[in-house]
Amino acid sequence: MHYSFFSLLRNAMTGHRGWTPAWRDAEPKSTYDAVIVGGGGHGLATAYYLAKEHGITNIAVLEKGWVGGGNIGRNTTIIRSNYLLAGNIPFYELSMKLWESLEQSLNYNAMVSQRGVMNLYHSDGQRDAYARRGNAMRLHGVDADLLDREQVHAMLPFLNFDDARFPIQGGLLQKRGGTARHDAVAWGYARGASDRGVDIVQNCEVTGFIIENGRVAGVETTRGQIRAKKVAISVAGNSSRVAALAGLRLPIESHVLQAFVSEGIKPLIPNVVTFGAGHFYISQSDKGGLVFGGDLDGYKSYAQRGNLPTVKDVCEGGVALMPLIGRLRILRNWGGIMDMTADGSPIIDKTPVDGLYLNAGWCYGGFKAVPAAGLCFAHLIARDEPHSAAAAFRLDRFARGAVIDEKGQGPQPNLH
Ligand SMILES: Cc1cc2nc3c(=O)[nH]c(=O)nc-3n(C[C@H](O)[C@H](O)[C@H](O)COP(=O)(O)OP(=O)(O)OC[C@H]3O[C@@H](n4cnc5c(N)ncnc54)[C@H](O)[C@@H]3O)c2cc1C
C-alpha cells in the first residue's frame, strides 16, 4: 500500500478500515539465499538495501523478540555527522545524506527533523578541539559552525551561562544534524524490505550456526533449522554472545546505557544540545517531552535496564546545564545494551568463517548510522568486498593497530 494524501483521504472517508499491516509477519522457510540475524535498525536496513540495491530478495531477517524491541526503539534519536577522523566522516556523512531522502525512499514518515546539533564548549582547550573537528568536517564537505558565547546565548538563553561551575564559552553547531523517530525508522525499513519480498520473522532466536567445512551453511533457531548460503550477524548489544556461537571472540564489551523522558512541556529546546563539561545531552520530542541521557552505567551487562546512581549522575549534569529542568518530572527511563569496541568505532566486515558477516560495535552511536550501515553491510554481503565508505571498519584493525579512536580515549571500551 502506497501512503499518500489520497490514501489518507480515502481511508478517512471509509472509517479507516482499509489500512493493511505495514509488513508481513512471515513464517520461516527452510532455505534462503541470505539470513540476517537481528531485526533491529541495522538488520532491517541491510535487508532493505540487499533487496533494493542488489536484487537479493530471498532473505529472512530473524528477530528473537519483536521489531523495535532492541536499541532501535530505545535510543535518544540523535542523528549527526560531526565526526573528526577520516575513517568516520565519509561514512556518517553518507548516512546523513541517506537520512535526508529517507522518507521519500521508504514512502514512510520517519519524522526526520534537521533541527541542529549543538556541542557546547567550556574551556579554551575544548574550543580548539571543536575548531579542529569543525575544520575536518568542512574539509570533507560537511557543514559546521563554531559559535561564540553570544551566538549560543541568542539560540539557547535558558542554559546556565552566569553562575555555572563550567561557564559556556560557545559551541560547535551542525545545522543538518537533528533527530528522527526511532520506531518509525525500524517500521519504515521493515515495510520497505517486506514489500520487496524479504521475510521478517519475529520470535525466532538464533541459537547456533551450521558450519560445514569452514563455511557457514545456515542457523539453528528456536523455530528449527534454516539453511542459507550467507549469514549476517547484526545483533548490536548481543554481538559477542551470538558470535561466540560461531566460535568467534569479538573485541567488544556490552554495557548498559539509559535514556530518560520528562513530562511534556511547551516548546523549549530548539535543537539537540550536548553538555561539554559532563556527559549529558538533551532534545525535545514533538510531543513535548524532554529526551535526555548521559554516560554508560559503567559495568558490563546484558540487561536492558540500569541503576539509580546513573539516574542521579545524568540528572545532575542536566540541572548543571539548565537548572530549570530541576522542576520537571521524569515520566520514563529505560536501558539498552551497547556493543562497545575498544576504539569506539564499529565493525562491518567478513569473519574468519566463510559466508559469515558481522555488523557490530556501534557503541551508543549506531542509530544515526542505520541507513549507511545497512547500505554498506548489504554491499559487503552481496559483493564480498567492503563499501568504500566503510572501508576502515575492519575486524582485524585491533591486531594491526589501525584503530579509529575518535575520542582519543585509548583502548577502554567503557570510555568511548
Ligand atoms: C539509551 C540509548 C540511547 C542511544 N542514543 C543514540 C542516539 O541518540 N544516536 C545514535 O546514533 N545512537 C544512539 N544509541 C545507539 C543505537 O540505538 C544503537 O547503536 C543501534 O540501534 C544498534 O543497532 P540496531 O538498531 O540494529 O540494534 P537493535 O535494535 O538492538 O537490534 C539488534 C536485534 O538483535 C536481536 N537479537 C539479539 N540476539 C539475537 C539472536 N540470538 N537471534 C535473533 N535476534 C537476536 C535483538 O532482539 C535486537 O532486536 C542509543 C542507544 C541507547 C540504548
Side-chain angles (χ1 to χ4, degrees), residues 67-316:
V67 165
N71 292 338
I72 188 65
R74 292 169 182 265
N75 61 70
T76 40
T77 77
I78 300 166
I79 59 175
R80 58 185 174 86
S81 57
N82 55 358
Y83 279 73
L84 169 72
L85 298 182
N88 279 330
I89 303 182
F91 173 83
Y92 288 101
E93 180 56 12
L94 170 65
S95 215
M96 185 55 80
K97 292 217 165 77
L98 291 168
W99 282 114
E100 285 170 336
S101 59
L102 188 76
E103 293 166 324
Q104 288 72 25
S105 311
L106 294 179
N107 176 231
Y108 203 86
N109 183 7
M111 295 169 70
V112 176
S113 165
Q114 291 182 288
R115 58 184 69 181
V117 172
M118 175 84 82
N119 299 136
L120 299 171
Y121 61 81
H122 309 261
S123 68
D124 291 353
Q126 212 171 17
R127 179 202 56 216
D128 293 350
Y130 280 164
R132 181 173 172 230
R133 175 184 296 252
N135 284 331
M137 290 164 65
R138 285 188 169 204
L139 286 170
H140 281 87
V142 183
D143 66 306
D145 293 287
L146 194 66
L147 308 186
D148 62 19
R149 184 184 187 278
E150 282 62 44
Q151 289 169 303
V152 174
H153 191 276
M155 289 176 73
L156 305 165
F158 50 83
L159 298 182
N160 192 0
F161 285 87
D162 299 323
D163 60 351
R165 182 169 167 212
F166 302 105
I168 297 164
Q169 291 190 13
L172 179 66
L173 176 67
Q174 186 187 18
K175 290 186 186 135
R176 287 166 58 244
T179 58
R181 169 72 206 253
H182 47 15
D183 304 305
V185 174
W187 299 333
Y189 274 117
R191 174 172 172 267
S194 178
D195 281 355
R196 288 171 168 78
V198 173
D199 281 355
I200 296 166
V201 187
Q202 301 180 91
N203 297 311
C204 181
E205 178 171 358
V206 169
T207 53
F209 292 90
I210 307 165
I211 297 171
E212 293 169 353
N213 304 319
R215 189 180 169 83
V216 79
V219 288
E220 305 283 354
T221 80
T222 46
R223 295 174 71 172
Q225 198 178 79
I226 299 175
R227 296 191 71 87
K229 293 179 200 133
K230 296 185 172 185
V231 176
I233 302 174
S234 190
V235 294
N238 285 284
S239 296
S240 37
R241 282 213 288 216
V242 172
L245 299 173
L248 304 175
R249 187 157 178 257
L250 300 183
I252 285 177
E253 288 179 5
S254 287
H255 287 262
V256 185
L257 180 69
Q258 300 191 55
F260 306 82
V261 174
S262 78
E263 59 189 321
I265 55 172
K266 287 184 178 172
L268 171 71
I269 306 178
N271 44 33
V272 179
V273 183
T274 74
F275 183 31
H279 203 155
F280 177 82
Y281 48 92
I282 188 163
S283 63
Q284 186 165 18
S285 79
D286 292 347
K287 274 201 304 191
L290 303 189
V291 182
F292 55 95
D295 250 326
L296 296 171
D297 269 40
Y299 53 88
K300 291 173 225 163
S301 172
Y302 290 109
Q304 287 178 314
R305 60 175 183 275
N307 275 310
L308 279 174
T310 304
V311 177
K312 186 166 170 258
D313 183 63
V314 171
C315 292
E316 278 172 3

Side-chain angles (χ1 to χ4, degrees), residues 344-363:
S345 294
I347 297 160
I348 299 182
D349 207 353
K350 299 181 199 177
T351 71
V353 180
D354 267 358
L356 184 63
Y357 304 83
L358 178 70
N359 168 349
W362 291 96
C363 304

Side-chain angles (χ1 to χ4, degrees), residues 311-328:
V311 177
K312 186 166 170 258
D313 183 63
V314 171
C315 292
E316 278 172 3
V319 173
L321 178 66
M322 39 191 298
L324 61 84
I325 64 167
R327 291 165 60 191
L328 283 180

